[in-house]
Amino acid sequence: MIYKRFAANLRAQNWFAIAVEFAIVVAGVFVGTLVANWNQARVETAATKRMLVQFIPELKAQMEFFDSTRTYYATARRFADEALAAWRGDQRISAERFVIAAYQASQVYGNGVNSENWALTFGGEQVRNIEDPQVRRNLELVLTQDYSYVQIAAVSTPYREQVRRVIPIHLQDLIRRECGDRQINHSLSLELPANCSLRLAPQEAESAAAALRANGKLAEELNWHLAAVAVYQENAAVLEQPIRALHRDLVKS
């Protein structure tokens, strides 16, 4: 109807009426666009909130990983200390315990997280839709951190390779089967048994222990391995902070 009046006023050269009706049309388009944009922003904000809620289990899994690494490497360190004592000539360490400890000290556990997948899920638009600046900042940190520092390559040192060249593979298989990594409550987190009660054939244990003692450089490599693990744990402590902060904020909200 307004377009018919606009055409009639145009023929009559009623410029004031034309201006008023033109302004009404422009205002209507502007308001319509504004409402559409507001509604779209509301939909996107709601979608982002749902994505954040769905992200909570992933954050919890990462927190469990960081918790389990501390226990895992504390256990590996006790085995390493026992192996180092044997290399120093401590007669209290039997051949069997030496072989098991030397192997268990080489056990490593790393994070397989790929932050690129998270970044694909939370694009720039989704991050900007987060109203809470603290949540937004922690999410940005979680998405942009370099997790290679806590992946298994960071602790795959020469000791791990070299000690497994010395210990016969069938003994390694026995140790792995009886005292290797275990899943924690069907999660992705792992634990290393604190004690290994495996019994090795005495002659095989003596032979493997003698081969380990003959390769004194392995003790130096184990020392370097422990230093690498220490740096790994320091990096893990830094990387887990924004994850825990983001999880805490999302659970509270």
Side-chain angles (χ1 to χ4, degrees):
M1 191 68 179
I2 191 172
Y3 300 109
K4 291 182 179 179
R5 290 201 307 271
F6 183 83
N9 288 324
L10 187 61
R11 287 194 295 271
Q13 295 187 349
N14 188 346
W15 304 116
F16 177 76
I18 290 172
V20 170
E21 290 175 356
F22 180 75
I24 292 172
V25 172
V26 171
V29 172
F30 175 77
V31 171
T33 302
L34 193 65
V35 170
N37 289 342
W38 175 83
N39 187 61
Q40 180 64 26
R42 183 179 61 81
V43 170
E44 290 176 355
T45 299
T48 300
K49 288 181 178 179
R50 287 194 299 271
M51 291 169 64
L52 287 172
V53 170
Q54 294 168 1
F55 196 40
I56 291 176
E58 181 67 26
L59 295 172
K60 185 174 184 294
Q62 292 307 312
M63 290 162 54
E64 291 172 349
F65 160 77
F66 287 117
D67 287 337
S68 63
T69 55
R70 279 186 283 273
T71 303
Y72 187 100
Y73 283 113
T75 300
R77 176 58 185 265
R78 289 193 291 273
F79 283 113
D81 289 341
E82 191 170 35
L84 287 171
W87 264 304
R88 288 194 298 267
D90 190 334
Q91 298 301 312
R92 295 171 299 178
I93 311 298
S94 68
E96 180 181 75
R97 285 172 56 193
F98 183 20
V99 174
I100 292 173
Y103 181 85
Q104 293 291 75
S106 74
Q107 296 280 51
V108 293
Y109 170 34
N111 192 357
V113 68
N114 186 349
S115 59
E116 291 181 2
N117 292 338
W118 291 349
L120 289 174
T121 301
F122 291 97
E125 288 298 325
Q126 283 78 15
V127 173
R128 284 190 288 272
N129 288 333
I130 299 172
E131 297 174 353
D132 189 321
Q134 182 172 314
V135 172
R136 185 168 60 248
R137 175 57 178 160
N138 284 327
L139 178 60
E140 288 172 343
L141 288 173
V142 168
L143 296 180
T144 58
Q145 291 190 118
D146 184 357
Y147 292 93
S148 65
Y149 294 113
V150 291
Q151 290 176 353
I152 203 165
V155 283
S156 293
T157 63
Y159 173 76
R160 176 178 168 83
E161 175 186 347
Q162 292 173 18
V163 78
R164 294 176 182 217
R165 289 178 181 271
V166 175
I167 300 174
I169 188 61
H170 70 281
L171 295 184
Q172 294 185 45
D173 291 340
L174 287 172
I175 298 170
R176 246 190 325 269
R177 184 168 61 247
E178 298 298 323
C179 308
D181 294 345
R182 301 286 186 268
Q183 274 188 309
I184 301 176
N185 297 327
H186 305 290
S187 69
L188 296 179
S189 299
L190 300 176
E191 65 179 354
L192 190 64
N195 299 295
C196 183
S197 57
L198 173 67
R199 308 303 300 177
L200 302 178
Q203 186 174 355
E204 291 184 333
E206 288 290 350
S207 176
L212 289 171
R213 290 191 181 94
N215 194 334
K217 187 170 177 59
L218 278 174
E220 297 178 11
E221 293 294 354
L222 178 53
N223 196 63
W224 163 241
H225 176 79
L226 294 177
V229 170
V231 172
Y232 174 101
Q233 292 180 296
E234 290 174 358
N235 290 330
V238 173
L239 291 171
E240 73 175 310
Q241 290 177 7
I243 291 177
R244 291 190 179 277
L246 179 59
H247 180 270
R248 182 179 61 250
D249 292 340
L250 293 181
V251 170
K252 284 195 305 182
S253 61

